[in-house]
Amino acid sequence: MKALVFLDTNKVGLVGKPIPEPGPWDVVVRTTASSICTSDIHTIAGGIAIPQGRTLGHESVGLVHRVGDKVTGFNEGDRVVVGALTPCGYCDYCQRGHSTQCGGALGGFKWTTQREGNLSEYFVVNDAAYNLTHIPDDVTDEQALYATDVLGTGIAAAQLADIPVGGTVAIIAQGPVGLCATMGARLLGAGLVITTATRPERARLSERFGADVVLNPRRCNVVEEVRALVGPEGVDSAIEALGTHETFEQCVRLIKPGGTVANAGYHGWESQAPLPIPIVSFGMGMNAKTIRGLLAPGGREHLTRMLRLLQTGKVDPTPLTTHRFHFSEVERAFQLMSDKGEKIIKPVITYEEGDL
Amino acid sequence: MKALVFLDTNKVGLVGKPIPEPGPWDVVVRTTASSICTSDIHTIAGGIAIPQGRTLGHESVGLVHRVGDKVTGFNEGDRVVVGALTPCGYCDYCQRGHSTQCGGALGGFKWTTQREGNLSEYFVVNDAAYNLTHIPDDVTDEQALYATDVLGTGIAAAQLADIPVGGTVAIIAQGPVGLCATMGARLLGAGLVITTATRPERARLSERFGADVVLNPRRCNVVEEVRALVGPEGVDSAIEALGTHETFEQCVRLIKPGGTVANAGYHGWESQAPLPIPIVSFGMGMNAKTIRGLLAPGGREHLTRMLRLLQTGKVDPTPLTTHRFHFSEVERAFQLMSDKGEKIIKPVITYEEGDL
Amino acid sequence: MKALVFLDTNKVGLVGKPIPEPGPWDVVVRTTASSICTSDIHTIAGGIAIPQGRTLGHESVGLVHRVGDKVTGFNEGDRVVVGALTPCGYCDYCQRGHSTQCGGALGGFKWTTQREGNLSEYFVVNDAAYNLTHIPDDVTDEQALYATDVLGTGIAAAQLADIPVGGTVAIIAQGPVGLCATMGARLLGAGLVITTATRPERARLSERFGADVVLNPRRCNVVEEVRALVGPEGVDSAIEALGTHETFEQCVRLIKPGGTVANAGYHGWESQAPLPIPIVSFGMGMNAKTIRGLLAPGGREHLTRMLRLLQTGKVDPTPLTTHRFHFSEVERAFQLMSDKGEKIIKPVITYEEGDL
Amino acid sequence: MKALVFLDTNKVGLVGKPIPEPGPWDVVVRTTASSICTSDIHTIAGGIAIPQGRTLGHESVGLVHRVGDKVTGFNEGDRVVVGALTPCGYCDYCQRGHSTQCGGALGGFKWTTQREGNLSEYFVVNDAAYNLTHIPDDVTDEQALYATDVLGTGIAAAQLADIPVGGTVAIIAQGPVGLCATMGARLLGAGLVITTATRPERARLSERFGADVVLNPRRCNVVEEVRALVGPEGVDSAIEALGTHETFEQCVRLIKPGGTVANAGYHGWESQAPLPIPIVSFGMGMNAKTIRGLLAPGGREHLTRMLRLLQTGKVDPTPLTTHRFHFSEVERAFQLMSDKGEKIIKPVITYEEGDL
C-alpha cells in the first residue's frame, strides 16, 4: 500500500509499506477519505519529534478491511471512523474521565507521535472496542472526517469555556479550530458570539457558522472593541484558538471576573517561555477567573454524538472544505497547507474515484 | 467611639470617631471581638490605596446595637457576625453566583477599601438582610471570627481545587490561609494532603489540621519530593497560598494532566509582571489543566454553614490563635503582625474584659 | 386604571383600581403588552387559592411610570420587562442559587399568588434592583413577553435535563412550555430531539422549533417508538411538559440508565396522589437515573441573557403567538385559553393602538 | 478448590470446583479474605435469579495466582483487591462515565449475577487492566475488603446527595451502607449529620462514624424531629439507605426545596409497585428537588482512592466488623447474616490461619 510519510523537516513523500495485520483487539481499515490537520504541518516542521519514515495523519475514514480475533460488532466492509485521539480506556487517566491524557500528558493522541498515522491506504485502529465507530448511512465520508478532530475540538472548547446560556463569548482566531469553536458556541447556546479573523474568507465563514460580530485584529484593538460591544466588564467566556502568547493574554483580559478562558490553541510553536497571565486582569489571583487547557475528546461514545449532530443537521462543517485531492496528490495538499496558499482551509483527500 | 485607622504608610493609630447611625437597610454592631488579617498589613504597607483616617479591619463580631428601619429579624443585643465580604446580593455578579466579585473585580470586599472597616468599637453592616448572621449560642466569639474570612477562604480553595475524594493535594505555604486550606482539604475528603512550611510551629499546626506530609521548601525540592511521594505524574490538585510567581509556577508543575490549581494567594505585592504558566507543564495548552483564582465567599447563607462546621466541631481553627490583646493594645498587635514577630499567626482582640 | 381580576371560580373581569404608588425599592410600570399563561387558567379554575378581586397575570412588559426613591438606573419612559418570578435576592434560598424557591417552596413566584398580578394598565415591580430589566431597542414587546416565563422555563428544562452535546432527548407534550423546551434542547446542543404532540398545528411548530421527530401519542406507543428510533436503552434525557402521572412515568421509562428526567409540568391538577416512579425502570433505585423538578428562573441577570438570545436571533418563540387582542378584550382571550379554542397557543394583549 | 455456592432458595453450601484458568486479559487471585454483603443474602432469598451451583460473593481480596498473557503490571504473589463492580471500561456506558451501568442497567455488577462470585479459594478477575488494584503495604486485608463495596457506596451516596459544605443531611437507616454513608457525609464536609437507627449498637456506631444526632424511628416521628432540629424547611440532602417505600417518601419530605435525595437502598425486595414521590413535598414538580439512584463505582482508579483514604486514616470502617470466621465456617456466617443474629454487621472470612 501507499502511505504518506515524514522524510525530513518539511519534507513528506508517498512510500510503499506492507498492508498492516490486525492484532487481536485491532481492526484494519481500508481508507476512503482523509483530511490534513494543521498539527500535521507543525509536526513535519519539527514541532514534534517523530522518526523518519513515520506515516502522518490522524483524520481518516474508511471501510473495515480485517477484524482482530477478539473484536466483536464489526464486519468487513462496514463504514467506520476513528478519532484523532485513540485512548486505551483503562488507564487511570481514562478511568477518571481524562482520556485525552491517556497514559500521561497529551497521551490520547497516538497517531504519528506514538505509532503510524492514517494518511495511508490502510491503517490499524488500536483498542477498536473503545475507538472504532460506525458511520450512519446518511452521513458522508466528508462529514465524518470533521468528526474525527476539529469539530470535537471546537465543541469541547465551547463546553469548557462555560458559556452561560445567552451569555457572551469571544473566540480569538478563526482557523479550522476557531471556526469549529464558533459552531460550538452557537450550538451550545451562546447569546453573542464575537470572533476575530484577518482573512475575509474566514470572516465570512465565521459569520456563516454563527458569529454575530467578526473583528479584524489588524484594524482594531480587540479588547477595546469587545468592551465597546458588551460593556467594560468584558465577556463571560473566551476561547483561544491561535496559540500565541499575545492572544492568550488577550483572552484573560477579555473575560469578566468569574469568567473562563478555554485554551484550544497549541502553544508549542512560538517559544518555550511561560504563558503570561496579565496580573491585574487576573485580579491579582482573586477575581475568580478560570483558565483551562484542552484537547478534543476521543472514543466511540463521543464520536457517536458528533456524528449524530452531523446526521441531524445540527452542525455542518463542510463549508470548511476548500480543496479536494486524490491521495496521489497528497504531497501537493501538504504543500498548500504549509504555505496556507490558495485560501485553503481544509482539503479532502479521496482514495478512489467517485468517493465523495 | 475608638477606631483603629490608617494614618500613613505602615502607620496606624486609635482615634475617636462618632458612633455610626444605621441607614434603613443597615445594622450597627457593637464590637466584642476582632482579628487582624494579613491583608490589613498589606493594605497599610501601601498595597491598596485607601484614604488617611480610614478605619481598618474586616474580621469582627459583636452585638446588635441599632437596627435600620427596614431590617427585620434582628434585635438589639443579638450576637452577630458578618463576613469579610459584604456583597449587595442584587448586582449581576451576585445574581450569577459570583458575589465575591460584587459590582466588579474583587468588589465583594468592601471593608476598608470601599468604606470604613470594622476594627472599631462600633461598625455598620451594609445590606444587613444579605450579610448579617446570628451566632449560635454554643459558638464562641473567637470561633466566629474565623468564619468571617480565613476559614471560608481555605474551604473555598479546597473546593475550587476540585480534589477527588481520596485524591492527592499539595498546599503550598502554611500561613493562616494555607493552614485553613489544609483544614478544608481534610474536611472535603482529600486522601493525601501534602503541605509546605518553613517555620516549625506552622509545620506542627499543619499536621494537626490534617497534613499527612509537611515539606520544608528550604530543605528539599518540593516538586521532586511530591513526585517521589505520589508518582511522577503529580498530584490531583494544588493550592497556592503564598502569592509569589515561584509558588504559582510550582503549583502548575505539581498537578497531573487534568488537575486543578486553586490560587488563594494574593499576587499584588511582588510585582506587576505577568504570572507565569510553565508552558511544558501546561502541555502547551493541551493537557487539560485548570487554573482558578478565588476569594472567600460572603453572605449570610455561606456564613451559616461555616458557623455550623464550628458548632458541630467539624473544624476547629482556634489553634491558629497565638495572641490575645485588648482593643487598647491593637496597635501593638498590628506591629507584631507586620513584623511576624513572636511566632504570631492570628491575634484575637477583645473590647471588654472577660469576653472570650 | 383597569385590571383583570379573579371574581370567582372560572370567572374573571376587568375592574377599576387605583394606579399603584411605588415603595422606595419598587418601580411602577405602565403596561404596553401582556400574555396569558396556562397557569393563570389553572389558578382561576381553583388550582391555587387566591382572594377574590386579586389582579391576575405575570407576563407583562411596559414603560417605567414611576421610580421608587431608592432605585437607581431606571428613568420614566424606559422600556422594561420583569420575570414571572420576582425573587428577593437575599433570602437563604436566593443566596444558595435557588431563587425560584425564594423564601420557600415555589416562593419566587409572587404575582397573583402573593400579590397583585400584572394584567393591568399599571403594575408594581418589587425588588426592582434585582428584577427589573431594560429591553434592548431591537427586541420587540412581543419577543420580550416570551422572556418573562415560558422561554426561560423551556431553556431551564433543557439545561436540567443534562442533555449531552449530540445526545438524545424526548420531550413529552408540546404545549407552550414543551415547545419552548424543544427550542431549548435545540439551543443547547441536543443531537436528536423527539417530541410528542397530538394536535397537528403543534406538531408543525415542534418541527419548526427543532424537533427531529414528532410522535403522536394517540397513534403509537411512545416508549416503543422512541426505543425503535434510538435503541432499546432509551434516550439520554427526557422532559416532562404536561403534568400527568402517566407522562411522568413514561419519562422515567424513556431514559437510559444514567439519564435524567427534567420535570417541567405542574402536577397539581390531576390528583394529590404520589407521583409514581416505575420501580424496574428506576433499576430498583440503582441505575443512576436522576429526576429533577424545576421552575423558570427569575432575576435581571437571567432575563438579560434571555433577551440577548432574542436580540441576536438565536431563538424566536414568536410563532407561538396565535392571537392578538386589545386589553379591553382580555376576558375573551381568557375564555379562549380556558377552552383551548381556535387552536390558541399564546395570545398577545396590547394596551394601546399600534403597539406591536 | 472450595467455593460457596447457591444451592436453592436460602440454601448455600461449600462445594469443590476446579481452580480457574485466566483468559488473556484476566488474572486469577488466591483469596485471603472475604466479606458477605446484604445483597448476597437477598440473592439467595430469591431476589435475583441465578443458576444453581453459582459461586456467591463479591467482596474478596487476595494474592495474584496467575496472570493472563496480555496483562501487565501484576506478578504472582502481589496483594490485590477488586471491586464489587467490574466494568469493562469500553462500552458506551463506561465511556460516558456511568461504568456502574456497564452494558446496561446495573451491569457493572457482574459477580454472581453474570458470572462466578468470589467467595471461593480462587477467583478470576475480568478486564484486569481496568479492575485489579494493588493493596498498599500498610492497608490490611480487612480494610481493603471495605473498599470493595460498602465504603464506596456510602461515599458515592454522600457525593450524589450534593451536601453543601457545612450543610445538613439526614441518612435514613444505619445498616452497613447507611453507616458508610454517615462516614461519607462526615468525610465530605457535612455540617450536621442526622441519622436514624433502631438498634442501639448501630446507633453507637453511627455516632462514632460522624452522626451528630441519631434518631430512633420507633420512638419519634423522624420528619418532625428533623424539622425541630434544622427548621421547618428541612435538610439540604437526604440519603435513603434502607430500600422501603416509606423511607423513600420520607427522604423527599425531609429535604428543603432545591435539595437532593440520593437513593442507596435497593427497592427490589418489598414490592414491584411504583416508588411514590409525595406530590406536595415535591412542589407539584416545581420545587427544584432532585432524586438520584446510585450504585457504588468500580474500577481501579476509584479503588485506589478508597484505599488511600484507608491508608492515611481518613476513614476507618473496621468497627463494622463484628464477626470473624474461617472460610470453612462460611455457611454459618451466611446464616447469621440472614437471621441478623448476634448483632452481626459485617463478618470477615479468612482462608488461612493468621491472615488478619
Side-chain angles (χ1 to χ4, degrees):
Chain A
M1 69 167 193
K2 286 274 188 294
L4 185 80
V5 303
F6 171 67
L7 295 175
D8 208 342
T9 307
N10 286 321
K11 205 166 161 200
V12 302
L14 281 175
V15 304
K17 292 197 179 186
I19 295 176
E21 296 290 313
W25 298 91
D26 297 337
V27 164
V28 173
V29 174
R30 179 165 67 78
T31 318
T32 54
S34 302
S35 190
I36 301 174
C37 179
T38 320
S39 64
D40 290 310
I41 305 306
H42 290 147
T43 301
I44 63 165
I48 298 172
I50 56 167
Q52 290 188 337
R54 174 63 57 85
T55 301
L56 295 162
H58 54 268
E59 301 184 351
S60 291
V61 301
L63 302 171
V64 168
H65 174 65
R66 284 193 53 203
V67 179
D69 291 350
K70 300 289 183 187
V71 179
T72 58
F74 291 95
N75 296 302
E76 285 182 28
D78 288 0
R79 281 182 74 223
V80 289
V81 58
V82 60
L85 271 75
T86 49
C88 71
Y90 54 78
C91 73
D92 278 14
Y93 286 97
C94 286
Q95 291 200 27
R96 81 170 67 94
H98 284 296
S99 66
T100 62
Q101 312 298 316
C102 172
L106 285 68
F109 185 58
K110 299 184 195 299
W111 302 109
T112 306
T113 57
Q114 299 177 38
R115 56 183 187 70
E116 295 286 67
N118 60 21
L119 260 169
S120 50
E121 290 177 308
Y122 294 83
F123 61 86
V124 182
V125 177
N126 67 292
D127 300 292
Y130 194 89
N131 288 304
L132 200 61
T133 313
H134 283 101
I135 304 176
D137 287 347
D138 45 1
V139 171
T140 66
D141 276 13
E142 181 183 352
Q143 287 178 303
L145 282 177
Y146 285 103
T148 60
D149 188 358
V150 74
L151 177 63
T153 305
I155 288 175
Q159 288 184 298
L160 293 171
D162 220 359
I163 312 168
V165 60
T168 55
V169 61
I171 305 173
I172 301 305
Q174 293 288 283
V177 165
L179 286 163
C180 284
T182 300
M183 255 181 272
R186 177 71 182 82
L187 180 71
L188 289 163
L192 182 74
V193 180
I194 304 167
T195 65
T196 67
T198 48
R199 299 174 185 224
E201 69 276 13
R202 296 190 176 194
R204 278 192 297 275
L205 272 178
S206 185
E207 287 182 351
R208 182 164 173 183
F209 287 148
D212 295 291
V213 181
V214 185
L215 303 175
N216 185 335
R218 297 220 177 114
R219 301 219 182 114
C220 70
N221 178 312
V222 170
V223 174
E224 280 174 21
E225 204 64 33
V226 169
R227 288 181 185 163
L229 286 162
V230 301
E233 58 182 8
V235 287
D236 291 303
S237 307
I239 297 173
E240 206 288 334
L242 187 61
T244 71
H245 283 201
E246 186 191 341
T247 47
F248 178 83
E249 212 171 341
Q250 200 171 60
C251 285
V252 180
R253 287 187 207 284
L254 281 169
I255 56 169
K256 63 180 70 161
T260 300
V261 174
N263 182 84
Y266 184 83
H267 289 278
W269 318 120
E270 204 180 28
S271 90
Q272 299 281 312
L275 266 182
I277 302 179
I279 188 73
V280 174
S281 296
F282 197 57
M284 279 70 77
M286 298 205 153
N287 64 356
K289 292 190 175 181
T290 296
I291 297 169
R292 279 202 184 101
L294 67 97
L295 205 52
R300 182 192 58 252
E301 198 271 338
H302 174 262
L303 212 41
T304 301
R305 291 187 278 107
M306 296 299 106
L307 292 168
R308 195 182 287 119
L309 291 169
L310 296 163
Q311 186 184 18
T312 60
K314 300 296 186 287
V315 291
D316 178 13
T318 57
L320 288 171
T321 308
T322 50
H323 290 68
R324 287 168 202 277
F325 299 92
H326 187 266
F327 184 53
S328 56
E329 306 165 298
V330 65
E331 294 172 44
R332 190 159 74 81
F334 247 78
Q335 196 58 49
L336 269 185
M337 286 291 284
S338 288
D339 302 345
K340 299 195 182 178
E342 295 181 11
K343 300 185 180 173
I344 195 168
I345 299 180
K346 289 290 275 189
V348 169
I349 316 290
T350 52
Y351 290 73
E352 291 179 283
E353 282 163 38
D355 248 7
L356 286 176
Chain B
M1 68 167 193
K2 286 274 188 292
L4 185 79
V5 303
F6 172 67
L7 295 175
D8 208 342
T9 307
N10 286 320
K11 204 167 162 200
V12 301
L14 280 176
V15 303
K17 291 197 178 186
I19 294 177
E21 296 290 312
W25 298 91
D26 297 337
V27 164
V28 173
V29 174
R30 180 163 65 78
T31 318
T32 53
S34 303
S35 189
I36 301 173
C37 179
T38 321
S39 64
D40 290 310
I41 305 306
H42 289 147
T43 300
I44 63 165
I48 298 171
I50 55 167
Q52 290 188 337
R54 175 63 57 86
T55 301
L56 295 162
H58 53 267
E59 302 185 349
S60 291
V61 301
L63 303 172
V64 169
H65 175 65
R66 283 195 52 202
V67 179
D69 290 350
K70 301 289 184 187
V71 179
T72 58
F74 291 95
N75 296 302
E76 284 182 29
D78 287 358
R79 279 182 75 223
V80 289
V81 58
V82 61
L85 271 75
T86 49
C88 71
Y90 55 79
C91 72
D92 278 14
Y93 286 98
C94 285
Q95 291 201 26
R96 82 169 66 94
H98 283 298
S99 66
T100 62
Q101 313 297 316
C102 173
L106 285 68
F109 184 58
K110 300 184 195 299
W111 302 109
T112 304
T113 57
Q114 299 177 39
R115 57 183 187 68
E116 295 287 66
N118 60 23
L119 261 169
S120 50
E121 289 177 310
Y122 294 84
F123 62 86
V124 181
V125 177
N126 66 294
D127 300 292
Y130 194 89
N131 288 304
L132 199 62
T133 313
H134 283 101
I135 304 175
D137 287 347
D138 44 1
V139 171
T140 65
D141 276 12
E142 180 182 353
Q143 288 178 302
L145 282 177
Y146 284 103
T148 61
D149 188 358
V150 75
L151 177 63
T153 304
I155 287 176
Q159 287 184 299
L160 293 172
D162 219 0
I163 312 167
V165 60
T168 54
V169 61
I171 305 173
I172 302 306
Q174 293 288 284
V177 164
L179 286 163
C180 284
T182 300
M183 254 181 272
R186 178 70 183 83
L187 179 71
L188 289 163
L192 182 73
V193 180
I194 304 167
T195 64
T196 67
T198 48
R199 301 176 184 221
E201 70 276 13
R202 295 189 176 196
R204 276 191 299 273
L205 272 178
S206 184
E207 287 182 351
R208 183 166 172 183
F209 288 148
D212 296 290
V213 181
V214 184
L215 303 176
N216 185 335
R218 299 223 175 110
R219 300 219 183 114
C220 70
N221 178 312
V222 170
V223 174
E224 280 174 21
E225 203 63 33
V226 168
R227 288 180 186 165
L229 286 162
V230 299
E233 59 181 7
V235 286
D236 291 303
S237 308
I239 297 173
E240 206 288 335
L242 187 60
T244 71
H245 283 200
E246 186 191 342
T247 48
F248 179 82
E249 213 170 342
Q250 200 172 61
C251 284
V252 179
R253 287 187 207 285
L254 281 169
I255 56 169
K256 63 179 71 160
T260 300
V261 173
N263 182 84
Y266 184 83
H267 289 277
W269 318 121
E270 205 181 26
S271 89
Q272 298 282 312
L275 266 183
I277 303 179
I279 187 74
V280 174
S281 296
F282 197 57
M284 280 67 79
M286 298 205 154
N287 64 357
K289 292 189 175 181
T290 296
I291 297 168
R292 280 203 183 100
L294 68 95
L295 204 53
R300 181 191 58 250
E301 197 272 337
H302 174 263
L303 212 42
T304 301
R305 291 186 279 107
M306 295 301 106
L307 292 168
R308 194 182 289 118
L309 290 170
L310 296 162
Q311 186 184 18
T312 60
K314 300 296 186 288
V315 291
D316 177 14
T318 57
L320 289 171
T321 309
T322 50
H323 289 67
R324 290 168 200 277
F325 299 92
H326 187 265
F327 184 53
S328 57
E329 308 164 296
V330 65
E331 295 171 44
R332 190 158 75 81
F334 247 77
Q335 195 58 49
L336 268 186
M337 285 292 284
S338 289
D339 303 345
K340 299 194 183 180
E342 293 181 14
K343 300 185 180 175
I344 194 168
I345 299 180
K346 290 289 275 188
V348 169
I349 316 291
T350 50
Y351 290 72
E352 291 180 282
E353 281 164 39
D355 249 5
L356 287 176
Chain C
M1 69 167 193
K2 287 273 187 292
L4 185 80
V5 305
F6 172 68
L7 295 175
D8 208 341
T9 306
N10 285 322
K11 205 166 160 200
V12 302
L14 280 176
V15 304
K17 292 197 179 186
I19 295 177
E21 296 289 313
W25 298 91
D26 297 337
V27 164
V28 174
V29 174
R30 180 164 66 77
T31 318
T32 53
S34 301
S35 190
I36 301 174
C37 179
T38 321
S39 65
D40 290 310
I41 305 305
H42 289 147
T43 300
I44 63 165
I48 297 171
I50 55 167
Q52 290 188 336
R54 175 63 57 87
T55 301
L56 294 162
H58 53 268
E59 301 184 351
S60 292
V61 301
L63 302 173
V64 168
H65 174 65
R66 282 193 53 202
V67 179
D69 291 351
K70 300 289 184 188
V71 179
T72 57
F74 291 95
N75 297 303
E76 285 182 27
D78 288 358
R79 281 182 73 223
V80 289
V81 57
V82 60
L85 271 75
T86 48
C88 72
Y90 55 79
C91 73
D92 278 14
Y93 286 97
C94 286
Q95 291 200 28
R96 81 170 67 93
H98 283 297
S99 66
T100 62
Q101 313 298 315
C102 173
L106 285 68
F109 184 57
K110 300 185 196 297
W111 303 109
T112 305
T113 57
Q114 299 178 38
R115 57 183 186 71
E116 296 287 67
N118 59 23
L119 260 169
S120 51
E121 290 177 309
Y122 294 84
F123 62 85
V124 182
V125 177
N126 67 293
D127 301 292
Y130 194 88
N131 288 305
L132 200 61
T133 313
H134 283 101
I135 304 176
D137 287 346
D138 44 1
V139 171
T140 65
D141 276 12
E142 181 182 354
Q143 288 178 303
L145 283 177
Y146 285 103
T148 60
D149 188 356
V150 75
L151 176 64
T153 305
I155 288 176
Q159 287 184 298
L160 293 171
D162 219 0
I163 313 168
V165 60
T168 55
V169 61
I171 304 172
I172 301 305
Q174 293 288 284
V177 164
L179 286 163
C180 284
T182 300
M183 252 181 275
R186 177 71 183 84
L187 179 72
L188 289 163
L192 183 74
V193 180
I194 303 167
T195 64
T196 68
T198 48
R199 303 175 182 223
E201 70 276 12
R202 294 189 177 195
R204 277 193 298 274
L205 272 178
S206 185
E207 287 182 351
R208 182 165 172 183
F209 288 148
D212 296 291
V213 181
V214 184
L215 303 175
N216 185 334
R218 298 219 177 114
R219 301 216 183 116
C220 71
N221 178 312
V222 170
V223 174
E224 281 173 21
E225 204 63 34
V226 168
R227 287 181 186 165
L229 285 162
V230 301
E233 58 183 6
V235 286
D236 292 303
S237 306
I239 296 173
E240 207 287 335
L242 187 60
T244 71
H245 283 200
E246 186 191 342
T247 48
F248 178 83
E249 213 170 341
Q250 201 172 61
C251 285
V252 180
R253 286 188 208 284
L254 282 169
I255 56 169
K256 63 179 70 161
T260 301
V261 173
N263 181 85
Y266 183 83
H267 289 277
W269 318 122
E270 205 181 26
S271 91
Q272 298 281 312
L275 265 183
I277 302 179
I279 187 74
V280 174
S281 295
F282 198 57
M284 279 68 79
M286 298 203 154
N287 64 357
K289 292 190 176 181
T290 296
I291 297 168
R292 280 203 183 100
L294 67 96
L295 205 52
R300 181 192 57 250
E301 197 272 337
H302 174 262
L303 212 42
T304 301
R305 290 186 280 105
M306 295 300 107
L307 292 168
R308 195 183 287 121
L309 290 169
L310 295 162
Q311 184 183 21
T312 60
K314 300 296 187 288
V315 291
D316 177 15
T318 58
L320 289 170
T321 308
T322 50
H323 288 67
R324 288 169 201 278
F325 299 92
H326 187 265
F327 185 53
S328 57
E329 308 165 296
V330 65
E331 294 171 44
R332 190 160 72 82
F334 247 77
Q335 196 58 50
L336 269 185
M337 286 291 285
S338 289
D339 303 344
K340 297 195 184 177
E342 295 182 11
K343 300 185 180 174
I344 195 169
I345 299 178
K346 289 290 274 190
V348 169
I349 317 290
T350 51
Y351 289 73
E352 292 180 281
E353 282 164 39
D355 248 7
L356 285 176
Chain D
M1 68 167 193
K2 286 274 188 291
L4 186 80
V5 304
F6 172 67
L7 295 175
D8 208 342
T9 306
N10 285 321
K11 204 167 160 200
V12 301
L14 281 176
V15 303
K17 291 197 180 187
I19 294 177
E21 296 290 313
W25 298 91
D26 297 337
V27 164
V28 173
V29 174
R30 179 164 66 77
T31 318
T32 53
S34 302
S35 190
I36 302 174
C37 179
T38 321
S39 64
D40 290 310
I41 305 306
H42 290 147
T43 300
I44 63 165
I48 296 171
I50 56 167
Q52 291 187 336
R54 174 64 57 87
T55 301
L56 295 161
H58 54 265
E59 302 184 350
S60 290
V61 302
L63 302 172
V64 169
H65 174 64
R66 283 193 52 202
V67 179
D69 291 351
K70 301 289 183 187
V71 179
T72 57
F74 292 94
N75 297 301
E76 285 182 27
D78 288 358
R79 281 181 73 223
V80 289
V81 58
V82 60
L85 271 74
T86 49
C88 71
Y90 56 78
C91 73
D92 279 13
Y93 287 97
C94 286
Q95 291 200 26
R96 81 169 68 92
H98 283 296
S99 65
T100 61
Q101 312 297 316
C102 173
L106 284 69
F109 184 57
K110 301 183 196 298
W111 303 108
T112 305
T113 58
Q114 299 178 37
R115 57 184 187 69
E116 296 287 68
N118 60 25
L119 261 169
S120 50
E121 290 177 309
Y122 294 83
F123 62 86
V124 182
V125 177
N126 66 293
D127 302 291
Y130 195 88
N131 288 304
L132 200 61
T133 313
H134 283 101
I135 305 175
D137 287 347
D138 43 2
V139 172
T140 66
D141 276 10
E142 180 182 354
Q143 288 179 303
L145 282 177
Y146 285 103
T148 61
D149 189 357
V150 75
L151 177 63
T153 304
I155 287 175
Q159 287 183 299
L160 293 171
D162 220 359
I163 313 167
V165 60
T168 55
V169 61
I171 304 172
I172 302 305
Q174 294 288 284
V177 164
L179 286 163
C180 284
T182 300
M183 252 181 273
R186 176 71 184 83
L187 180 71
L188 289 163
L192 182 74
V193 180
I194 303 167
T195 65
T196 67
T198 48
R199 301 174 183 223
E201 69 276 13
R202 295 189 177 194
R204 277 192 299 275
L205 271 177
S206 185
E207 287 181 351
R208 182 165 172 183
F209 288 149
D212 296 291
V213 181
V214 185
L215 303 175
N216 186 335
R218 299 222 175 111
R219 301 219 182 115
C220 71
N221 178 311
V222 170
V223 174
E224 281 174 20
E225 203 63 33
V226 168
R227 288 181 185 164
L229 285 162
V230 300
E233 58 181 7
V235 286
D236 291 303
S237 307
I239 297 172
E240 206 287 337
L242 187 60
T244 71
H245 283 201
E246 186 191 343
T247 47
F248 179 83
E249 213 170 341
Q250 200 172 62
C251 285
V252 180
R253 287 187 207 285
L254 281 168
I255 55 170
K256 63 179 70 160
T260 300
V261 173
N263 182 85
Y266 184 83
H267 289 276
W269 318 120
E270 204 180 27
S271 91
Q272 298 281 311
L275 267 183
I277 303 179
I279 187 73
V280 174
S281 296
F282 198 56
M284 280 68 78
M286 298 203 153
N287 64 357
K289 292 189 174 181
T290 296
I291 298 169
R292 282 203 183 101
L294 67 97
L295 204 53
R300 182 192 56 250
E301 198 272 338
H302 174 262
L303 213 41
T304 302
R305 290 186 278 105
M306 295 301 106
L307 291 168
R308 195 182 287 120
L309 291 169
L310 296 162
Q311 186 184 18
T312 61
K314 300 296 186 288
V315 291
D316 178 14
T318 57
L320 290 171
T321 308
T322 50
H323 288 68
R324 288 166 200 279
F325 299 91
H326 187 265
F327 184 54
S328 56
E329 309 164 296
V330 65
E331 295 171 45
R332 192 159 74 80
F334 247 77
Q335 197 57 51
L336 267 186
M337 285 292 285
S338 289
D339 304 344
K340 298 196 183 177
E342 294 182 11
K343 301 186 180 174
I344 194 169
I345 299 178
K346 290 289 275 188
V348 169
I349 316 290
T350 51
Y351 289 72
E352 291 180 282
E353 282 163 39
D355 249 6
L356 287 175

